Amino acid sequence: MTANPTVTRRNFLLGAALCATMLSGCNQGDDGQAAAEDQPAAAPAAGGNVLVAYYSAQGHTAAVAQTIADELGADLFKVTPTEPYSDDDLDWTDDSSRVTREHEDESLRDVELTQVTPDGWENYDTVLVGYPIWWGIAAWPIDNFISGNDWDGKTVLPFCTSSSSSLGRSGELLAEAAGSGEWQEGQRFSSSVDESGVRDWVAGLGLA
């Protein structure tokens, strides 16, 4: 605010004293409000620019994905095969089961999805990609989601669930299939991980 040049020095000093008195009274009667206004504004939540996309065969990855999304305030996208896997399909101990046949014959791993590109895909700049580990790699229903989207300009964080296997090269292989994007080091969670373990990891990402 610019001072009025016609104001006399005496009037100026009287006005300043009056303002100081009024401010003092406000501070004494409304300390809580004044303190709150002095606090810096809270950082905005990650919100709609973060997506958690996942494929889950038996619910383990879905549970982790939901916790991550809740912590970040992110959107969720479920990668869904057009032909869902039944419990019998997922029986890897059965030589004739669907996953076993697909494991033995890579040409069978071209799993059609109900939707490849999430709505509003172009608006997301950070994407967390979750999947279970099958035979040491990412479960192949996630493959067409990866290859079918443009990852340019996106930061990507893979995460997986497994009862015993490590993350291995699963994240690296998905990054190669994507062909673009800034892929970060991934995280493996036990199939039985509790929510606190997932929340601790999310807290360290600096996204919220």
Side-chain angles (χ1 to χ4, degrees):
M1 179 181 297
T2 304
N4 187 334
T6 64
V7 175
T8 66
R9 175 178 176 81
R10 182 171 182 275
N11 288 341
F12 176 81
L13 293 175
L14 287 173
L18 179 61
C19 288
T21 302
M22 292 174 64
L23 288 174
S24 176
C26 288
N27 287 338
Q28 289 176 0
D30 199 13
D31 287 341
Q33 180 178 347
E37 291 175 351
D38 287 341
Q39 296 299 316
N49 68 335
V50 178
L51 177 70
V52 180
Y54 70 95
Y55 167 69
S56 187
Q58 296 174 305
H60 305 301
T61 308
V64 172
Q66 183 66 64
T67 299
I68 294 172
D70 289 345
E71 288 297 297
L72 293 177
D75 295 333
L76 269 176
F77 177 75
K78 181 180 180 181
V79 175
T80 306
T82 301
E83 183 184 347
Y85 287 77
S86 67
D87 289 341
D88 289 339
D89 289 338
L90 294 169
D91 185 2
W92 59 272
T93 65
D94 182 354
D95 291 341
S96 63
S97 72
R98 178 180 174 184
V99 289
T100 302
R101 287 184 286 107
E102 291 171 344
H103 171 250
E104 297 298 328
D105 184 352
E106 290 188 25
S107 68
L108 299 177
R109 300 184 195 173
D110 184 12
V111 179
E112 183 180 354
L113 305 177
T114 59
Q115 182 178 351
V116 174
T117 302
D119 296 336
W121 175 252
E122 66 279 1
N123 298 322
Y124 297 108
D125 48 33
T126 301
V127 183
L128 294 93
V129 179
Y131 49 86
I133 294 291
W134 288 358
W135 280 277
I137 62 175
W140 36 90
I142 202 77
D143 290 350
N144 279 342
F145 169 71
I146 298 298
S147 62
N149 286 299
D150 180 6
W151 298 86
D152 189 46
K154 299 187 187 301
T155 298
V156 192
L157 294 90
F159 65 93
C160 73
T161 58
S162 172
S163 58
S164 58
S165 299
S166 66
L167 181 74
R169 295 190 61 233
S170 62
E172 297 175 34
L173 294 174
L174 292 181
E176 291 175 8
S180 62
E182 295 295 327
W183 287 70
Q184 307 298 310
E185 183 178 353
Q187 176 69 26
R188 177 259 181 189
F189 295 101
S190 167
S191 298
S192 59
V193 65
D194 59 27
E195 288 187 8
S196 63
V198 179
R199 287 195 297 267
D200 288 345
W201 178 69
V202 173
L205 296 178
L207 293 176

